[in-house]
Amino acid sequence: MINSVTDGLTNGVMRLTIRMRLTLWNATVLAFVLGAFALAGWVTLTTTLRQRTDAAVRESARVVAGAIRVERAAAQARGDVEEVRGETEQAVLRELRIGDLEVFIADEGAQLMAASQPGPSRTSINTVDETVLLPDEVRTLLRGIVQTRAAEIADEREVALGTIRLHGTDWRAGVTRLAPMAQDPGEPPLLVTILHTLENDRLLLRAVRNTLLLAIPLALLASVITGYALARRSLAPLDAITTRTASITAANLDARLRVVNPYDELGRLAHIVNGLLGRVGDAFRTQRQFVADASHELRTPLAIIRGEAEVTLRRSTRDEAEYREALQVIQQESVRLSRVVDDLFLLARVDAGSPIGEHRQVAIAELVATAARSVRSLAESRGVSLQLNETAATDGLRMLGDSVLLHRLVLNLLDNALKHAPTSSTVHVRVDATDQIVQIDVEDGGFGVPPALRDRLFERFVHGSSSQPAHDAGGHRSGAGLGLAIAQAIAHSHGGHIVLGPSTDLASGACFRVSLPRLASASGDFA
């Protein structure tokens, strides 16, 4: 049940717009802050008022008790005799300015001795005649203090505090004990009671409460309105980004988002989206070019096959030699077509991130030697010699990799070198190793790589100039422009790479250097 309610609330919040969620979060936080502030202020004000009232009651009780003691001492010094009980205390109360306080003086038996009289500008709980009665509430308070808190007021400097309700109003009461004079030990102790009305404090607290109850909702309403306006204005660039991004299609990938402020979050977002659009545009253009080049490469062998078949079938009769010649051309172009399709499929798997081989221990020096032997007859037919150099570090050298793919990598580099090696030149193949990498160098004696092609050398369907017509390792027409791209893809799948290195003293042409990790694949592209 709780999970269902939680999921419902979460789904409801998720359906709100960002500006509405920001507004609600702002209002919620402000509500908690204002509520905490109001509660703290209310507690502080209530405590302060109570402390102020207690201090006033306590100090007034001490002042009245002290004044009575002083007046008693003066009367005894003058030899005055008190004709009416409580006359001295009543005289003291008449002379003191007690403000809005009520004062009762009684003995420990709760018998009233004197009480404050109302002035012309204030109301009192007492009457103005001399037959003032002690209110029952005050009598009950005094008896309770005498019975349970006598020790608390044993010292005249101590005041016992309490709260009573009198005539529908709360009063703060303070009681102190006035001991008899030393010259008159028979006189009973007196209890001086001070009452301070809490009505003014109640009215003040009610006014503050009403103010808070009105101000907090108004502040929250103003916060919601202001927060929504600010959120709407702050997120306006995001709406523009959304609208602009939605309008970008394959037909206008060159369009970019407008960056208002490149230093804030939305500006950085627009910059990132522009970078993404740039990469998507480049990938789209590359894909278009790839499709166009692939179509062109596939069209040529298909056209040759179709042409040979049409020419052969055009005549009703042909001799066996003509049929064999036509079928040989069709076979050669079919092989070339199959190789282009296989290359495109391999590159498609690389682009998709699919595994393209199985890794196991490979004797790399033996693999390079096998690849060199497989193209030696082609090199001899072109008048090019092939020289293999192996260092002592490659004896028994083994690495993790796919032997078929690595063999194809070396064949593609050798095929590329033979295409560009002039007659009577030498193609040098070197294999070396360190503790970390295996290095294979293939260098021809051609004219090198033109500067305009160096940055695009490993792109697909990039053709370089060659000294002789290009053939693959089987002696067929090649030149699809995929050899180096596939070799680089195979190197990357083994965690390595191919770079165009500097020419050495052995030859003056292009030198391709393959670097592969010696122990394991770093890219994880193996099955």
Side-chain angles (χ1 to χ4, degrees):
M1 181 64 181
I2 297 178
N3 293 334
S4 300
V5 174
T6 304
D7 294 340
L9 292 175
T10 302
N11 293 333
V13 172
M14 293 303 295
R15 291 190 183 97
L16 298 176
T17 61
I18 294 180
R19 63 172 63 93
M20 185 59 68
R21 275 182 276 172
L22 289 176
T23 302
L24 292 179
W25 275 112
N26 177 68
T28 302
V29 172
L30 182 62
F32 277 111
V33 172
L34 291 179
F37 176 78
L39 179 61
W42 181 268
V43 172
T44 301
L45 180 60
T46 303
T47 304
T48 302
L49 291 176
R50 174 57 60 89
Q51 292 175 350
R52 186 187 67 178
T53 301
D54 289 349
V57 170
R58 188 180 292 109
E59 187 63 26
S60 298
R62 291 169 180 168
V63 170
V64 171
I68 292 175
R69 177 169 292 281
V70 170
E71 185 62 25
R72 278 186 174 184
Q76 289 183 0
R78 293 192 304 269
D80 296 341
V81 178
E82 189 179 60
E83 297 179 356
V84 180
R85 187 182 180 187
E87 181 180 0
T88 303
E89 290 78 7
Q90 192 68 48
V92 171
L93 295 181
R94 281 195 299 267
E95 294 178 359
L96 289 176
R97 295 181 179 181
I98 57 178
D100 58 352
L101 300 176
E102 298 293 343
V103 183
F104 295 94
I105 302 176
D107 57 19
E108 291 185 341
Q111 181 65 37
L112 183 64
M113 304 290 294
S116 60
Q117 299 297 321
S121 60
R122 71 182 179 95
T123 59
S124 174
I125 61 174
N126 301 317
T127 59
V128 296
D129 55 26
E130 296 297 332
T131 60
V132 178
L133 299 178
L134 186 66
D136 293 337
E137 294 83 355
V138 179
R139 182 179 289 108
T140 302
L141 172 69
L142 295 180
R143 287 175 178 174
I145 291 176
V146 170
Q147 293 176 2
T148 62
R149 303 169 65 182
E152 184 177 345
I153 58 174
D155 190 346
E156 294 182 6
R157 293 173 297 179
E158 299 297 330
V159 179
L161 300 175
T163 301
I164 63 173
R165 189 167 182 81
L166 191 61
H167 301 313
T169 304
D170 291 331
W171 295 75
R172 190 65 171 167
V175 180
T176 187
R177 185 174 181 273
L178 180 62
M181 299 291 293
Q183 297 83 354
D184 191 5
E187 184 72 17
L190 299 180
L191 299 177
V192 179
T193 304
I194 304 295
L195 297 182
H196 186 289
T197 180
L198 298 178
E199 182 66 14
N200 294 334
D201 294 347
R202 186 184 67 83
L203 294 176
L204 175 61
L205 291 174
R206 185 175 68 178
V208 172
R209 180 195 63 193
N210 294 337
T211 301
L212 292 176
L213 292 178
L214 178 63
I216 290 179
L218 291 178
L220 289 177
L221 179 61
S223 173
V224 169
I225 296 175
T226 305
Y228 185 82
L230 290 176
R232 182 177 181 180
R233 182 173 181 178
S234 299
L235 295 176
L238 185 59
D239 291 335
I241 290 175
T242 304
T243 303
R244 181 60 174 166
T245 304
S247 66
I248 297 177
T249 63
N252 61 338
L253 285 175
D254 292 333
R256 293 294 182 267
L257 303 179
R258 180 170 173 264
V259 181
V260 179
N261 183 4
Y263 302 103
D264 62 7
E265 289 80 359
L266 295 179
R268 291 196 293 270
L269 174 62
H271 181 72
I272 292 174
V273 172
N274 285 337
L276 175 62
L277 291 174
R279 292 190 295 273
V280 171
D282 293 339
F284 197 83
R285 284 187 291 270
T286 301
Q287 187 69 18
R288 281 179 175 174
Q289 186 64 37
F290 180 82
V291 172
D293 293 339
S295 300
H296 175 75
E297 293 297 332
L298 296 175
R299 184 191 308 157
T300 301
L302 287 175
I304 294 175
I305 292 174
R306 179 179 179 180
E308 286 294 329
E310 289 178 350
V311 171
T312 303
L313 295 175
R314 188 174 301 164
R315 293 173 56 183
S316 58
T317 59
R318 285 183 178 271
D319 56 20
E320 181 180 350
E322 291 177 334
Y323 278 115
R324 285 185 175 276
E325 182 180 358
L327 291 176
Q328 186 177 10
V329 173
I330 292 175
Q331 181 195 22
Q332 293 174 354
E333 295 303 325
S334 298
V335 171
R336 181 188 175 197
L337 181 62
S338 298
R339 182 173 181 180
V340 173
V341 172
D342 290 342
D343 290 345
L344 294 177
F345 180 68
L346 177 62
L347 293 175
R349 292 179 62 187
V350 171
D351 292 339
S354 302
I356 60 172
E358 297 181 357
H359 62 288
R360 54 175 57 92
Q361 292 290 335
V362 177
I364 190 65
E366 181 180 345
L367 183 144
V368 174
T370 302
R373 284 194 299 269
S374 65
V375 298
R376 192 172 298 278
S377 60
L378 176 62
E380 292 176 354
S381 67
R382 296 170 60 88
V384 178
S385 61
L386 190 62
Q387 183 175 349
L388 176 62
N389 298 318
E390 298 179 2
T391 63
T394 62
D395 293 340
L397 175 64
R398 305 182 71 84
M399 62 169 287
L400 285 177
D402 186 278
S403 59
V404 176
L405 293 178
L406 292 175
H407 185 267
R408 187 171 184 180
L409 181 153
V410 178
L411 280 182
N412 285 359
L413 293 180
L414 291 173
D415 182 64
N416 180 78
L418 293 176
K419 290 177 186 177
H420 299 87
T423 304
S424 301
S425 63
T426 302
V427 173
H428 296 272
V429 181
R430 291 181 301 276
V431 183
D432 198 359
T434 65
D435 293 338
Q436 300 294 330
I437 64 171
V438 175
Q439 184 173 293
I440 305 171
D441 291 344
V442 178
E443 185 174 3
D444 61 67
F447 300 100
V449 180
L453 289 179
R454 288 181 179 271
D455 295 335
R456 302 175 57 243
L457 196 57
F458 296 99
E459 295 180 6
R460 299 163 190 182
F461 301 106
V462 173
H463 299 266
S465 60
S466 61
S467 61
Q468 300 181 25
H471 295 75
D472 59 20
H476 304 294
R477 293 281 300 180
S478 183
L482 297 175
L484 292 180
I486 291 175
Q488 186 71 282
I490 294 174
H492 286 167
S493 71
H494 286 77
H497 61 275
I498 305 175
V499 297
L500 179 63
S503 300
T504 64
D505 296 336
L506 299 176
S508 59
C511 177
F512 290 92
R513 175 164 296 172
V514 184
S515 298
L516 300 172
R518 181 169 180 173
L519 298 179
S521 170
S523 65
D525 285 336
F526 294 107

